[in-house]
Amino acid sequence: MRYCAADAATLRVVVLDDLTLVYHRASGITHVLASPAPELLAALAEPLALPELRARLASEFDLEDGADGALEARLDELIAAGLVHTA
């Protein structure tokens, strides 16, 4: 399964200190995100499978062993919010 962020044209992103506001035009909802959600959205500008996503994030962040479960949980939350979809 590959994950991809919603089309950038449907999102309005504003960074406010440690939080990121994402207005999703398709739903009309503004989401308030904290790390690592904004980083996940940025990494998913192109479709990635979980191992590819983990590798991309590991090149920028110190990921702990067993991070896949946490990544999948965050991805499920972003999918439920309509900000990520599977491809």
Side-chain angles (χ1 to χ4, degrees):
M1 178 181 330
R2 298 174 75 75
Y3 299 92
C4 187
D7 182 2
T10 67
L11 304 176
R12 171 77 168 110
V13 179
V14 177
V15 178
L16 297 172
D17 296 323
D18 292 337
L19 298 175
T20 301
L21 304 179
V22 179
Y23 176 68
H24 187 228
R25 289 181 176 98
S27 67
I29 297 173
T30 300
H31 303 274
V32 180
L33 306 178
S35 188
E39 293 83 0
L40 289 172
L41 284 178
L44 292 172
E46 62 183 84
L48 296 174
L50 187 61
E52 297 167 319
L53 176 59
R54 182 186 346 97
R56 179 162 299 171
L57 293 172
S59 70
E60 297 179 38
F61 304 100
D62 184 25
L63 298 182
E64 296 179 11
D65 290 336
D68 284 0
L71 283 175
E72 286 180 302
R74 298 300 75 77
L75 288 168
D76 287 345
E77 292 170 357
L78 292 171
I79 289 170
L83 299 177
V84 168
H85 61 89
T86 56

